[in-house]
Amino acid sequence: MSWLEALVLGLIQGLTEFLPVSSSGHLMIAGTFFGLNGEENLAFTVLLHVATVLSTIVILWTEIAGLFRGFFSFSRNEETKLVLKILLSAVPVGIVGLFFKDTVEDMFGSGLLLVGCMLLLTAALLTVSHFAGRRRKRELSYRDAFVIGLAQACAVMPGLSRSGSTIATGILLGIEKEKVAKFSFLMVIIPVLGEALLDVVKVLKGDELSAFQAIPASVMICGFAAAFLSGAFACKWMINMVKRGKLLYFAYYCIALGLFTVIYSLIH
């Protein structure tokens, strides 16, 4: 992998992690055209995910700091309730990560046909939420948090947008758009950092060590920086886009890219 490829992949990851267009799908498509092997692509993807999580922490630092202060005051306040909802939302994807990690990784090596189909499913979710999400309620309940968590667990499929699935699900549940967007970005911090920790443990045990060693340090730094900076921009921009109800435009994009990916996978 060259530094230019790392730069492009980092920009793709950072921009698409928060936009409802599937960062994993875009990375698989780009990895295919760059000729990256499955293990190298997967190892680099983990690094880029950590970069975008850190960009989330930077952009939403005020909210995150407030959650920590409220939670560690050990009182029944709104911050404590929100932290508990975030933890609850992480349960489904945690189960998938612990017990079905190998199955998920196999999906990332299954080719672009699955990616194209999941992009089309992402477009369908965004379209349905745009036309059906009219009624709004003020609070996000524990039940809502768990249902959104189920959507996040399903979005481990390459090509199925995590942010698109969780935001669309929240809108369909009747939650205010800005609230569900921020909740979607906050809830991803725990599973992505947990996934990165599991991968570090595997590396230390000797599994997949060659995949990480094959990537030069300068290349990893370049990709990490690109993902972090573009992720910070996309996170802030996406919250404003959700508030203005512009998700349908992303559905059009997912339809176009999904059809292209399906057709490409069938003729190659």
Side-chain angles (χ1 to χ4, degrees):
M1 181 185 298
S2 68
W3 71 268
L4 181 59
E5 291 171 337
L7 176 65
V8 173
L9 291 175
L11 290 173
I12 290 173
Q13 164 63 24
L15 292 173
T16 59
E17 174 65 31
F18 301 104
L19 304 184
V21 294
S22 178
S23 61
S24 62
H26 278 73
L27 287 177
M28 281 190 66
I29 294 170
T32 298
F33 283 102
F34 286 158
L36 302 179
N37 64 64
E39 287 189 355
E40 184 181 11
N41 201 11
L42 183 61
F44 193 66
T45 298
V46 172
L47 178 73
L48 298 184
H49 273 114
V50 173
T52 48
V53 166
L54 291 178
S55 70
T56 307
I57 294 173
V58 170
I59 295 301
L60 299 179
W61 176 249
T62 301
E63 289 84 353
I64 294 172
L67 289 177
F68 271 96
R69 285 194 299 269
F71 183 74
F72 287 106
S73 68
F74 301 106
S75 60
R76 192 174 177 80
N77 51 42
E78 291 303 315
E79 290 80 11
T80 299
K81 291 179 183 178
L82 182 54
V83 170
L84 293 176
K85 290 171 186 176
I86 291 172
L87 292 173
L88 179 61
S89 73
V91 171
V93 75
I95 293 173
V96 172
L98 288 174
F99 298 104
F100 302 100
K101 184 173 175 59
D102 291 338
T103 303
V104 172
E105 290 180 356
D106 289 340
M107 291 179 185
F108 279 83
S110 60
L112 294 183
L113 180 60
L114 178 61
V115 173
C117 293
M118 290 300 102
L119 282 169
L120 293 175
L121 179 57
T122 298
L125 286 171
L126 295 174
T127 303
V128 170
S129 68
H130 175 79
F131 290 105
R134 300 299 183 188
R135 188 168 57 87
R136 296 284 173 263
K137 60 185 180 184
R138 295 181 61 85
E139 288 298 321
L140 185 149
S141 67
Y142 288 98
R143 172 184 168 275
D144 295 334
F146 185 74
V147 173
I148 295 173
L150 289 174
Q152 177 172 248
C154 293
V156 298
M157 301 280 286
L160 183 57
S161 169
R162 188 206 62 81
S163 62
S165 299
T166 54
I167 292 173
T169 300
I171 292 174
L172 290 172
L173 290 171
I175 303 166
E176 293 178 4
K177 293 179 179 179
E178 183 177 5
K179 285 186 177 181
V180 75
K182 288 186 176 180
F183 185 77
S184 171
F185 297 155
L186 289 170
M187 68 187 285
V188 74
I189 295 175
I190 295 175
V192 171
L193 289 182
E195 180 185 4
L197 179 61
L198 290 175
D199 284 310
V200 169
V201 171
K202 287 185 69 176
V203 170
L204 293 177
K205 290 181 177 179
D207 299 330
E208 300 180 357
L209 182 59
S210 59
F212 282 93
Q213 290 178 331
I215 307 174
S218 59
V219 170
M220 289 194 288
I221 292 172
C222 181
F224 186 94
F228 177 84
L229 294 174
S230 59
F233 166 78
C235 179
K236 197 165 187 178
W237 185 57
M238 183 59 190
I239 292 174
N240 293 326
M241 289 291 288
V242 174
K243 284 195 296 185
R244 294 199 298 268
K246 304 293 185 180
L247 293 181
L248 193 61
Y249 296 117
F250 296 108
Y252 298 148
Y253 173 81
C254 287
I255 290 173
L257 183 61
L259 289 175
F260 167 80
T261 306
V262 168
I263 295 171
Y264 178 87
S265 65
L266 291 175
I267 62 178
H268 284 79

